[in-house]
Amino acid sequence: MRRLFENNGLRSELLRQRVDEEMQWLQKIIELLSLAKSRSDASRAQLVENITDLFLSDEGRLSEHERALMSEILSKLIKQVEADVRKELADVLLRSGIDMPEVAKLLANDSIEIARPLLEKSDLLKDPDLIEIIKMRTDEHRMAITMRADLSEQVSDALVEYGSEDVLESLLNNHDTKISKRAMEYMVTESRRVDRFQEPLLMRADLSPELAYKMYWWVSAALRKKIITDFD
């Protein structure tokens, strides 16, 4: 019986702690919402500081429940706050590494000044997210995606399909990307018309000798020499 009372007391104490935590979070959310509604510089600065503290401070390490709640609140806040606050949020999200993919997707679809750091480096953006952005957003967004490490063939294919010549050149110059055979064949064919594709193509380790020698007939004398030397 004594053990039963002790267990009940422990459960009551844990419940009280959980209620206290929930009340603290409610207070934080109310404060964030209040700051988001204000247009003053001081309020915007305080909003960013509060969110940064929640993400990065030792005291602000989020539990799974808190993370989900924070993700929901931030998704709503993003639509209300000024661009400079959204930019700071994108930087904080990238630095913190906190798992909020929905927030990352919203910010990655924002203007390029806000989206760029996430498009270039965030692991929260998966291939379907990147492909959707490639299809729906601007060439500047596509250019930022070409800077990512270890792009998949599916993402590269989308860049080749929707990107400008500038985007394709940037993709070719990123040697960490995987480019499908079909996309490579397309860019080799295009290199007859677009001279600036030629050298980046011939610098790639994944260009086959067959495709390199196909280019032989329209590249410069210096590049012909490179083909003979490197692809023999």
Side-chain angles (χ1 to χ4, degrees):
M1 183 66 69
R2 179 179 178 183
R3 181 174 297 176
L4 178 62
F5 284 132
E6 290 175 349
N7 289 339
N8 287 337
L10 179 59
R11 282 196 293 268
S12 296
E13 178 61 26
L14 292 174
L15 181 60
R16 280 195 297 271
Q17 290 178 4
R18 183 59 182 269
V19 170
D20 288 343
E21 290 174 0
E22 293 290 345
M23 291 301 294
Q24 290 173 9
W25 262 90
L26 180 60
Q27 184 61 41
K28 292 175 183 177
I29 290 168
I30 292 172
E31 185 175 357
L32 290 176
L33 291 171
S34 176
L35 290 169
K37 291 178 181 178
S38 174
R39 292 292 184 255
S40 72
D41 292 342
S43 294
R44 291 203 298 270
Q46 187 63 50
L47 175 63
V48 171
E49 182 179 342
N50 287 5
I51 293 174
T52 302
D53 288 343
L54 285 172
F55 280 7
L56 299 179
S57 69
D58 290 337
E59 295 80 8
R61 300 301 178 187
L62 303 181
S63 68
E64 183 64 23
H65 172 73
E66 291 167 343
R67 184 205 61 77
L69 182 60
M70 190 63 173
S71 179
E72 181 179 354
I73 295 300
L74 283 179
S75 296
K76 295 176 181 177
L77 285 179
I78 285 169
K79 300 172 183 177
Q80 302 178 31
V81 297
E82 303 290 336
D84 57 342
V85 176
R86 300 199 304 275
K87 186 178 188 302
E88 186 65 28
L89 288 177
D91 292 338
V92 170
L93 187 61
L94 184 63
R95 284 186 283 124
S96 70
I98 194 166
D99 186 22
M100 290 188 180
E102 294 304 319
V103 177
K105 282 188 282 186
L106 282 173
L107 291 168
N109 277 280
D110 210 318
S111 65
I112 188 59
E113 293 78 12
I114 294 164
R116 181 176 283 112
L118 295 171
L119 293 175
E120 291 182 354
K121 297 178 180 178
S122 176
D123 292 333
L124 295 176
L125 299 174
K126 306 305 180 187
D127 281 3
D129 307 320
L130 295 171
I131 291 170
E132 181 180 1
I133 292 168
I134 289 167
K135 291 179 178 179
M136 304 303 295
R137 299 298 288 139
T138 71
D139 239 29
E140 291 177 308
H141 289 73
R142 298 177 192 114
M143 185 71 76
I145 291 173
T146 67
M147 305 297 177
R148 293 175 69 89
D150 196 27
L151 280 180
S152 70
E153 287 187 1
Q154 290 78 14
V155 175
S156 293
D157 281 349
L159 287 166
V160 170
E161 182 175 356
Y162 291 92
S164 65
E165 292 176 4
D166 290 339
V167 170
L168 269 59
E169 183 181 12
S170 180
L171 177 67
L172 287 171
N173 283 318
N174 183 348
H175 292 186
D176 292 327
T177 61
K178 298 179 179 68
I179 298 179
S180 70
K181 181 180 178 181
R182 180 175 65 86
M184 192 74 80
E185 289 172 347
Y186 170 79
M187 286 190 284
V188 165
T189 300
E190 284 294 288
S191 74
R192 186 168 193 165
R193 180 180 62 85
V194 186
D195 291 350
R196 55 188 168 133
F197 289 178
Q198 294 171 6
E199 187 170 1
L201 277 164
L202 293 171
M203 293 296 292
R204 291 191 65 91
D206 51 354
L207 180 69
S208 69
E210 178 186 1
L211 290 176
Y213 274 97
K214 182 178 180 180
M215 295 172 60
Y216 182 87
W217 302 107
W218 58 76
V219 299
S220 66
L223 291 179
R224 287 181 178 182
K225 183 177 181 181
K226 179 175 178 60
I227 290 171
I228 293 172
T229 301
D230 294 353
F231 294 91
D232 189 11

